[in-house]
Structures are given as structure tokens and as C-alpha cells.
Amino acid sequence: MKIQSNLDHLICKIEQWNQVPTLYQLALKELENKMKVIEAEWKMRDGYCPIEHTKTRIKSINSVIKKLERKGMGVTIENAITQIYDVAGMRIVCAFVNDIYMILDHLKQRDDLSIIEIKDYIANPKPNGYQSLHVIVQVPLVLFEDTCWISVEIQLRTLAMDFWASMEHIIFYKYEKEVPPHVLQELTKVALAADDLDKKMFALRKEVQSYSVTQIEAEESPKSMSVRDLLFDTNDA
């Protein structure tokens, strides 16, 4: 009987842990729907949306448990939900750096999200050159008995930052995190090049926008009279 009781307890714990990803999947779905509304509204209002594309992911239960152990916390579902903020993640990729901060300002104004932490690795890149804006938000999930606020980590990057981060991840995976020093140095150089690319593309964008406005104003302004118009005024005919 005791063995059966322990087995039932173990099965119950396994079933509870298996429910955790479902909560985060639902929270991510809520956040995805909100972002779709934001994208549609931005396009209707401005004819342009700063979001190039989004991607979501959920950590495996094993990864969550290992992170709890690394942090010296008890391996409980409560600790997983309340202490680990990046179980669920959304990556938002933009074309330009100022688009990232524009999205952040919008998220701060929303009543249906709660921002609990911001880590700006764009203003303060990591030593290896990594750049991204990390925002921990809590998404309300309305359940049968209560409303549960689930944490989701949003990473906002430019296309150049995302490319660099993806390549860095592939390299670390290939070398099983034992990356030779000269490779780390080259990665840092490439990160600086990516940052320089972002700045140059933003400067080009500003120039194009300025040119377009000047062109429109020129087309809308009255045309100046030519010398022939002054000499042969058609109204005197």
C-alpha cells in the first residue's frame, strides 16, 4: 500500500509539472494575439508597422528544473512560475533600433500587460557584443476560478542583432560552449560591425524620409512663373 501511495504521489507530481507548459502556451497565445492587434492598428494608423516578424518558444521542463537548481531554489511548480521569468519567450525583430524603443513605449502604456523588468543590452551591450532589449511582462490568463498572471520574456532586436545572435548560438552549440578565444574576439568584432550597420541603415532611412517630405512639399507648392509667363501674361489676351 505504501509503495502504491508513493507511486500515486509521483504520478500526481508528474501530471502537475506537465500542466506547466500548457499555462505558458496559453499566455504566449494571448500575447501573440495582442501583438497581431498592435501590428494591424499600426498599419492602419501609419501605413507602416515596426515589427518585421515574431517568434515564440517555451523552455522544456528539464531546462526549468535545471535553472531552479542552478539558482539554489526548491524544485517546485510555484518557484517555476514565480521565480523563473523566461519559461516562455517571444522574440520581436525590427528593422531599426528606434522601432524597438517605440514598441517598448507602447507596451508601457498598455493596461492589459504589466512590465516587471527591463534589461537594455542595446544601450549596454554584453562583453561579447550581444545586443537586445529584454522586457519581462506579465500576461493575464483568465481561468475558471481566477486570473493568473504569467511571466513572458520579450526580446526585441534588429535584423542585424538577430542574425548575430543566431550565428553566435550556432557556434556555441558546435563547440559545446568551449569556444576558442580567437573565435570570441572575432564574434565581438562582428557584433560591432552589426551595430555599425544598424546605425548606417537608420541614417539612410532618415535621409530617405527627409527627401520624400521635401519632394511632396515641392509638388504641393504653387509652381513658380517662368520668364515667358511674365512677358506674355495669358490673362491680358
Side-chain angles (χ1 to χ4, degrees), residues 179-194:
V179 182
H182 73 277
V183 175
L184 291 175
Q185 291 175 358
E186 290 301 316
L187 276 171
T188 304
K189 290 180 182 178
V190 174
L192 293 173

Side-chain angles (χ1 to χ4, degrees), residues 91-124:
R91 185 180 306 159
I92 299 176
V93 179
C94 305
F96 305 99
V97 173
N98 69 316
D99 291 341
I100 291 173
Y101 291 107
M102 189 162 58
I103 293 171
L104 176 62
D105 288 340
H106 178 76
L107 295 178
K108 287 179 178 178
Q109 296 170 14
R110 295 186 70 92
D111 296 328
D112 56 349
L113 291 173
S114 176
I115 295 179
I116 60 174
E117 185 177 80
I118 299 173
K119 291 184 179 179
D120 192 345
Y121 296 116
I122 297 175
N124 302 288

